[in-house]
């Protein structure tokens, strides 16, 4: 019997999965997604974002097909129309109408490019300038201007003011030769110079200073309650703008001055009848009388020259300093005896000195200059020919008719200018030809014929003006060209040839006039 054996054969069937083709529109891998929507096609070049796929999906595409990315003609700055997308996926605005920057004036626009709708700076209420149109089609008035807008336009106005703030460009009072004062801006934006001024004469005391300007107004600064001067270093202010003053003198708590009409006025303390008014102290000017040409005053008495040349004095008279031959005080001016005509006078302490019409120099009072053989309550003569004099607390300086300068008396600080500190009871010359001299307590200043100012003597507060605080027994020059000088006890003020006023030395009451209370050893221009 034949036996047949059948061996079992195991057949393994391996299923092959087909990949997605990405571009045939068939779900080749039977995973439920077709072409580019299948993850197998994520990196296929036909499935990468591109213009034309209907979706603005790259930064380069503004739109794609009908998808405008939410944009419209209005969002593109136009007023109406149909926005579209071109083949390069860029927005097309050719069918949009109206917009800022098209040069056509559309609703809601004030202007468009050069189209200003007939408007000008003037039609908008300005005075000058060129109207422009800004990027948002509104008027740009930044180049327009008007008087009072507070914006200075040098091509169309001299000045401008708004809310009290004035602008003058580079204009100064100096432009009209007046170095002091403040410019003013008119309603038509032109500069008014009437508040500018120059100074002509000046004097200073221990706590204040005063000066006369080129229109004869009187200005004072510093502090003295007896004189109603309370600027406390904040510059200066007019005491009597309508005064027409021609000469002024300051001392301690007093001011006296002569006006153009020859009237003599004094104010301040009158404890020793130094005002000559016969009344009480006054913080405002009090009329003494008329027909005067010069006045001098100190703490205890005063003297003045009449226009006729007669000399009068008033006040305390304990040492015969009034020159009337008595020791009686005088509330009002009394004539100085012995001479009928005088050309100059000055007072200091208990002494008075005067120059007669014949150029003789006589002094009376306590005889601080040690003149020999002076009778009690009488006068003593200092030899020489004299034209003008000035008295310090213990020294005297004066000019001769030829312009020579002589000094005598106390000299502990070098105030005689002879290079020593030795007292001299005879006049000593100070080299040069001079036109003016003034004495402080212990220092002296004088102006030469060429306008050069020289000072010498005490210098504890820098009153010599040479940048130091060391005394000098020889003259030291103060820079500049000068026409007038006035001295106080420890301070000096002067007027330069340009009319500017300068002060230096002691300043604890603001008497320098620079807005501070700091002393200065060099000239400082007053405000």
């Amino acid at each position: 019997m034949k036996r047949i054996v059948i061996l079992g054969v195991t057949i393994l069937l391996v299923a092959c999965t087909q990949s997605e083709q990405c571009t045939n529109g068939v779900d080749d891998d039977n995973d439920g997604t077709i072409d580019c929507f299948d993850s197998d096609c994520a990196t296929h070049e036909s499935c990468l974002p591109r213009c034309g796929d209907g979706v603005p999906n790259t930064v380069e595409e503004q739109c794609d097909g009908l998808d405008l990315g939410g944009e419209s003609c209005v969002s593109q700055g136009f007023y109406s129309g149909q926005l579209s997308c071109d083949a390069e996926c860029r927005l097309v605005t050719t069918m949009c109408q109206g917009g800022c920057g098209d040069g056509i004036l559309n609703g809601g626009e004030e202007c468009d490019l050069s189209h200003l709708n007939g408007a000008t700076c003037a039609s908008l209420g300005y005075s000058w300038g060129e109207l422009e149109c800004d990027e948002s089609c509104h008027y740009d008035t930044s180049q327009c201007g008007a008087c009072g807008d507070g914006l200075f336009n040098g091509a169309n106005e001299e000045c401008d003011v708004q809310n009290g703030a004035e602008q003058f460009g580079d204009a100064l009072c100096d432009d009209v030769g007046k170095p002091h004062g403040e410019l003013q801006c008119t309603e038509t934006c032109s500069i008014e110079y009437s508040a500018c001024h120059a100074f002509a004469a000046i004097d200073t005391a221990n706590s204040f200073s005063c000066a006369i300007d080129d229109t004869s107004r009187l200005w004072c600064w510093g502090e003295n309650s007896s004189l109603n001067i309370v600027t406390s270093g904040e510059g200066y202010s007019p005491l009597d703008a309508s005064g027409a003053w021609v000469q002024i003198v300051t001392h301690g708590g007093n001011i006296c001055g002569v006006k153009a009409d020859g009237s003599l006025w004094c104010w301040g303390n009158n404890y020793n009848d130094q005002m000559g008014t016969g009344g009480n102290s006054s913080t405002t000017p009090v009329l003494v009388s008329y027909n005067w040409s010069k006045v001098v005053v100190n703490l205890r008495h005063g003297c003045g020259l009449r226009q006729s040349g007669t000399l009068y004095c008033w006040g305390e008279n304990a040492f015969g300093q009034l020159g009337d031959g008595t020791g009686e005080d005088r509330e009002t001016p009394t004539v100085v005896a012995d001479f009928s005509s005088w050309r100059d006078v000055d007072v200091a302490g208990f002494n008075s000195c005067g120059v007669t019409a014949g150029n003789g120099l006589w002094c009376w009072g306590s005889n601080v200059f040690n003149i020999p053989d002076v009778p009690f309550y009488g006068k003593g003569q200092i030899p020489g020919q004299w034209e003008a004099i000035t008295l310090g607390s213990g020294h005297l300086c004066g000019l001769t008719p030829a312009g020579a300068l002589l000094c005598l008396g106390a000299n502990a600080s070098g105030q005689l200018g002879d290079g020593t500190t030795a007292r001299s009871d005879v006049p000593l010359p100070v080299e040069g030809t001079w036109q003016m001299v003034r004495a402080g307590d212990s220092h002296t200043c004088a102006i030469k014929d060429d306008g050069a100012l020289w000072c010498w003597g005490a210098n504890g507060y820098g009153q010599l003006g040479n940048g130091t605080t060391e005394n000098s027994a020889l003259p030291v020059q103060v820079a500049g060209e000068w026409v007038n000088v006035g001295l106080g006890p420890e301070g000096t003020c002067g007027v330069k040839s340009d009319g500017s006023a300068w002060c230096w030395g002691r300043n604890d009451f603001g008497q320098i006039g620079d807005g501070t209370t700091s002393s200065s050893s060099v000239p400082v221009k007053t405000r």
Side-chain angles (χ1 to χ4, degrees):
M1 179 171 81
K2 192 183 276 185
R3 184 180 291 179
I4 298 173
V5 176
I6 300 174
L7 298 174
V9 178
T10 302
I11 300 176
L12 297 176
L13 296 177
V14 179
C16 293
T17 302
Q18 183 175 351
S19 298
E20 189 72 26
Q21 297 301 307
C22 299
T23 60
N24 59 4
V26 177
D27 183 9
D28 298 301
D29 57 2
N30 296 312
D31 65 354
T33 56
I34 299 174
D35 294 346
C36 291
F37 295 102
D38 193 297
S39 60
D40 295 337
C41 300
T43 58
H44 194 279
E45 66 176 0
S46 65
C47 296
L48 293 175
R50 70 190 185 283
C51 179
D53 62 4
V55 179
N57 44 25
T58 68
V59 294
E60 291 81 9
E61 293 180 282
Q62 294 180 328
C63 55
D64 200 319
L66 297 178
D67 191 336
L68 302 179
E71 297 295 314
S72 66
C73 284
V74 173
S75 68
Q76 294 298 304
F78 297 90
Y79 299 123
S80 62
Q82 180 61 51
L83 189 66
S84 61
C85 189
D86 63 15
E88 295 179 354
C89 294
R90 309 297 295 177
L91 292 172
V92 179
T93 61
T94 55
M95 300 302 292
C96 296
Q97 291 88 37
C100 180
D102 63 1
I104 301 173
L105 198 64
N106 297 288
E109 296 179 337
E110 291 181 330
C111 54
D112 201 312
L113 298 180
S114 61
H115 194 326
L116 301 177
N117 198 24
T120 63
C121 286
S123 70
L124 296 180
Y126 296 90
S127 301
W128 58 78
E130 184 175 346
L131 185 64
E132 297 179 350
C133 191
D134 66 18
E135 294 180 352
S136 61
C137 289
H138 291 89
Y139 292 131
D140 179 0
T141 60
S142 62
Q143 302 304 309
C144 299
C147 178
D149 63 3
L151 301 175
F152 175 68
N153 187 303
N156 299 284
E157 58 185 359
E158 294 180 345
C159 56
D160 210 322
V161 58
Q162 186 178 56
N163 297 326
E166 296 178 319
Q167 300 181 50
F168 299 98
D170 296 327
L172 299 167
C173 282
D174 297 81
D175 298 339
V176 291
K178 297 178 182 292
H180 294 278
E182 295 182 356
L183 300 174
Q184 296 176 333
C185 193
T186 69
E187 293 181 354
T188 59
C189 289
S190 60
I191 295 177
E192 174 61 58
Y193 291 93
S194 62
C196 298
H197 57 274
F199 286 113
I202 198 165
D203 200 16
T204 184
N206 59 337
S207 65
F208 66 97
S209 304
C210 293
I212 300 173
D213 72 10
D214 55 347
T215 62
S216 299
R217 291 177 297 183
L218 175 62
W219 303 76
C220 293
W221 56 93
E223 186 166 1
N224 191 296
S225 58
S226 299
L227 297 165
N228 202 28
I229 302 173
V230 291
T231 49
S232 299
E234 296 296 331
Y236 49 82
S237 59
L239 275 179
D240 185 358
S242 61
W245 300 90
V246 295
Q247 189 245 332
I248 197 74
V249 61
T250 65
H251 191 283
N254 291 92
I255 300 174
C256 287
V258 178
K259 292 187 179 182
D261 62 0
S263 59
L264 171 59
W265 301 75
C266 290
W267 64 105
N269 295 325
N270 200 32
Y271 305 138
N272 298 301
D273 296 316
Q274 64 265 42
M275 285 172 52
T277 60
N280 297 321
S281 299
S282 176
T283 58
T284 57
V286 178
L287 176 65
V288 178
S289 59
Y290 288 88
N291 300 316
W292 299 87
S293 61
K294 181 178 180 177
V295 62
V296 291
V297 67
N298 71 7
L299 184 63
R300 299 181 181 277
H301 72 293
C303 294
L305 285 172
R306 293 277 194 172
Q307 292 173 346
S308 63
T310 54
L311 178 59
Y312 286 76
C313 293
W314 55 90
E316 186 179 293
N317 197 26
F319 293 88
Q321 60 262 42
L322 302 189
D324 63 351
T326 78
E328 297 179 11
D329 297 346
R330 306 291 184 178
E331 293 184 356
T332 57
T334 184
V335 68
V336 175
D338 300 322
F339 298 94
S340 60
S341 184
W342 302 78
R343 65 173 63 246
D344 199 19
V345 64
D346 201 8
V347 298
F350 300 101
N351 295 272
S352 304
C353 294
V355 178
T356 66
N359 299 109
L361 174 56
W362 295 80
C363 295
W364 52 97
S366 66
N367 198 14
V368 69
F369 303 117
N370 294 334
I371 304 171
D373 304 322
V374 178
F376 201 65
Y377 297 146
K379 298 177 179 66
Q381 186 175 13
I382 297 176
Q385 289 286 297
W386 303 79
E387 183 74 20
I389 57 168
T390 181
L391 273 63
S393 61
H395 74 293
L396 177 153
C397 291
L399 301 178
T400 71
L405 175 56
L406 304 171
C407 294
L408 72 153
N411 196 28
S413 300
Q415 58 263 49
L416 300 188
D418 67 336
T420 76
T421 55
R423 177 185 178 87
S424 177
D425 290 330
V426 296
L428 300 176
V430 180
E431 184 180 355
T433 303
W434 307 82
Q435 58 174 300
M436 184 179 189
V437 61
R438 291 289 184 269
D441 274 4
S442 299
H443 76 294
T444 309
C445 293
I447 301 175
K448 286 188 174 181
D449 276 355
D450 61 1
L453 175 61
W454 298 77
C455 295
W456 56 93
N459 197 30
Y461 287 90
Q463 58 262 45
L464 300 187
N466 66 338
T468 77
T469 54
E470 297 179 2
N471 295 354
S472 178
L474 288 171
V476 294
Q477 187 171 5
V478 182
E481 183 178 343
W482 304 82
V483 296
N484 194 265
V485 65
L487 275 62
E490 295 160 322
T492 308
C493 290
V495 177
K496 287 188 176 181
S497 56
D498 65 355
S500 59
W502 301 72
C503 292
W504 56 98
R506 190 167 184 171
N507 193 37
D508 45 351
F509 292 96
Q511 56 266 47
I512 284 180
D514 65 342
T516 77
T517 53
S518 299
S519 298
S520 176
S521 61
V522 294
V524 178
K525 187 178 179 181
T526 65
R527 285 187 174 182

